[in-house]
Amino acid sequence: MSVATDERMRMIIQEFPKTELHLHIEGTFEPELVFEIAKRHNVAIPYRSVEEVRRAYDFHDLQSFLDIYYRAMSVLLHEEDFYDLTIAYLQRVSRQGVRHAEIFFDPQAHTSRGVSFETVVTGIHKALEEGERRLGISSKLIMCFLRDLSADSAMETLDAGLSFKNWIFAVGLDSKELGNPPEKFEAVFKKALDEGFMAVAHAGEEAPAEYIWQALELLGVSRIDHGYHCLEDARLVEKLASEQVPLTACPLAAVGVRYFDSVEHFPLGKMLQLGLLVMVNSDDPAYFGGYVEENLAAVQKAIRLNEQDILHLLKNSFKASFLEPERKQKFLRELDEKYASL
Ligand code: ADE
Ligand code: ZN
């Protein structure tokens, strides 16, 4: 049965199986839940309404976003708060076709406030288990080091994470990029790899291509988060394309912190043309106006991607995931079958 073109595109974007590979769980903290948890703990927040919070989400760079992001998460205190945050995310994206999610969390943003690593990771893990059981979404957890804190603090965080090796799949690197190059964390990543974790890092988000080189050569990462600045360096593009190093692009977030002045200027089309293994993710959906489906829809409309382009992006997201090879193949086949039967 053939369906009208717009309806076909809507179905592909909304209903086809997809992964999310660049998602900060703290970045899914919707204002309604911030208020609910603040009330639960009787803590005051400097906003009177959900609308007032949303009005404050007008960022001019990465730091102005991070300031609000860290402030909001300070109401998260107990295991149940982290559980509620995570299950809310999974429930929402189960309605968007997400079948697998690789989720960042920022332990130091909580341990620095006196919340234990165990409290944070247990709450998140219980929700992920529930998400797999009840919603059929598999997941992998990635603990990120805050790069604006010291390498010693990152090493302490890694050591805390070693007790939860069964629950944590990889390490990552996030927060204020400029001035905090990957080389600062070489020893931490070396130990993480030796301990059997996989590694990813935000690089080339706001800092130059050199940070991407360092992430690849000094940290041993399997994926680059964002990575837009690779486009300034032809030799780097050549390496990323020929080795098919994944780049986890986040269109609405990149526009939200004004790296690009509109989604029309987001370089996804160029990255695809260059043969890079890029896919669409949401980063911090509560802050930047959308989860993976809204990101795909925005970019499709803005740069007029066709059905094959969207299918290609969805396939890239499975290829770039840490899923076991058989499950990857199963999802790739499922995508082809769904497309053929549209
Ligand atoms: N933490 C949450 N979102 C981030 C981003 N886009 N870049 C760096 N750190 C982050
Ligand atoms: Zn990010």
Side-chain angles (χ1 to χ4, degrees):
M1 189 177 48
S2 96
V3 210
T5 321
D6 287 357
E7 177 58 7
R8 283 173 63 100
M9 189 58 93
R10 186 201 64 73
M11 285 171 75
I12 297 170
I13 290 179
Q14 208 173 68
E15 296 172 15
F16 274 31
K18 53 185 74 68
T19 70
E20 168 76 87
L21 303 182
H22 186 150
L23 184 278
H24 301 262
I25 199 64
E26 296 91 344
T28 69
F29 204 8
E30 294 285 346
E32 290 80 359
L33 191 58
V34 177
F35 271 93
E36 190 184 318
I37 294 181
K39 197 161 153 218
R40 180 185 294 171
H41 301 317
N42 229 337
V43 293
I45 48 173
Y47 302 102
R48 275 165 307 182
S49 66
V50 164
E51 293 68 41
E52 201 176 306
V53 178
R54 289 226 157 83
R55 274 199 297 279
Y57 292 178
D58 182 19
F59 313 113
H60 52 272
D61 58 10
L62 180 59
Q63 190 60 55
S64 61
F65 153 69
L66 290 170
D67 291 342
I68 289 198
Y69 167 82
Y70 292 124
R71 196 178 318 142
M73 71 176 81
S74 68
V75 305
L76 297 167
L77 299 176
H78 303 317
E79 187 186 304
E80 90 175 294
D81 305 340
F82 292 93
Y83 175 89
D84 288 351
L85 174 70
T86 309
I87 204 74
Y89 164 71
L90 295 169
Q91 277 162 345
R92 187 186 278 253
V93 298
S94 74
R95 297 189 291 271
Q96 300 197 346
V98 171
R99 305 277 286 276
H100 176 73
E102 302 191 349
I103 297 179
F104 298 132
F105 74 117
D106 285 335
Q108 291 151 293
H110 312 297
T111 52
S112 63
R113 305 181 283 108
V115 179
S116 76
F117 192 107
E118 181 176 8
T119 297
V120 179
V121 77
T122 306
I124 297 173
H125 177 75
K126 284 186 178 168
L128 295 180
E129 275 194 333
E130 179 82 4
E132 175 132 35
R133 223 178 15 250
R134 248 187 336 111
L135 306 168
I137 302 177
S138 60
S139 56
K140 305 234 183 253
L141 195 52
I142 303 174
M143 66 168 165
C144 283
F145 306 116
L146 300 186
R147 67 202 307 157
D148 41 354
L149 301 186
S150 68
D152 285 348
S153 171
M155 195 63 99
E156 271 170 37
T157 306
L158 173 60
D159 288 342
L162 293 180
S163 309
F164 301 95
K165 247 184 175 175
N166 293 343
W167 295 354
I168 299 171
F169 191 80
V171 298
L173 189 63
D174 66 359
S175 202
K176 177 75 189 149
E177 187 184 10
L178 266 176
N180 297 295
E183 64 184 351
K184 179 173 161 188
F185 299 95
E186 191 174 350
V188 184
F189 273 66
K190 171 153 192 344
K191 179 163 179 187
L193 293 176
D194 287 347
E195 290 287 352
F197 293 107
M198 300 300 284
V200 299
H202 286 52
E205 178 186 10
E206 56 170 1
E210 167 60 18
Y211 281 46
I212 301 176
W213 281 110
Q214 285 188 16
L216 295 169
E217 292 181 343
L218 304 180
L219 304 189
V221 299
S222 307
R223 291 200 296 252
I224 296 289
D225 295 311
H226 298 292
Y228 318 122
H229 283 265
C230 73
L231 296 173
E232 296 156 2
D233 182 336
R235 200 166 61 86
L236 178 58
V237 168
E238 165 63 32
K239 176 181 170 67
L240 295 169
S242 68
E243 295 175 17
Q244 289 290 280
V245 178
L247 302 172
T248 62
C250 307
L252 291 177
V255 173
V257 293
R258 315 254 177 98
Y259 298 145
F260 304 97
D261 54 18
S262 67
V263 183
E264 281 76 8
H265 293 116
F266 186 71
L268 187 72
K270 175 139 196 234
M271 293 169 97
L272 286 169
Q273 260 171 25
L274 289 165
L276 294 165
L277 183 63
V278 67
M279 84 303 300
V280 168
N281 305 274
S282 66
D283 207 357
D284 301 286
Y287 294 91
F288 295 123
Y291 290 73
V292 65
E293 176 192 328
E294 290 84 7
N295 271 271
L296 276 165
V299 91
Q300 185 278 321
K301 189 158 169 247
I303 61 172
R304 296 199 189 83
L305 296 174
N306 63 28
E307 291 179 359
Q308 289 299 331
D309 297 325
I310 300 293
L311 197 63
H312 183 71
L313 287 167
L314 295 180
K315 285 187 175 178
N316 280 356
S317 78
F318 284 104
K319 287 181 188 161
S321 73
F322 289 128
L323 276 168
E324 303 67 28
E326 316 80 67
R327 287 202 68 215
K328 256 186 211 187
Q329 290 311 320
K330 179 181 130 343
F331 280 122
L332 293 172
R333 270 198 311 276
E334 190 179 331
L335 277 168
D336 280 332
E337 284 160 12
K338 275 194 106 85
Y339 189 65
S341 68
L342 252 195

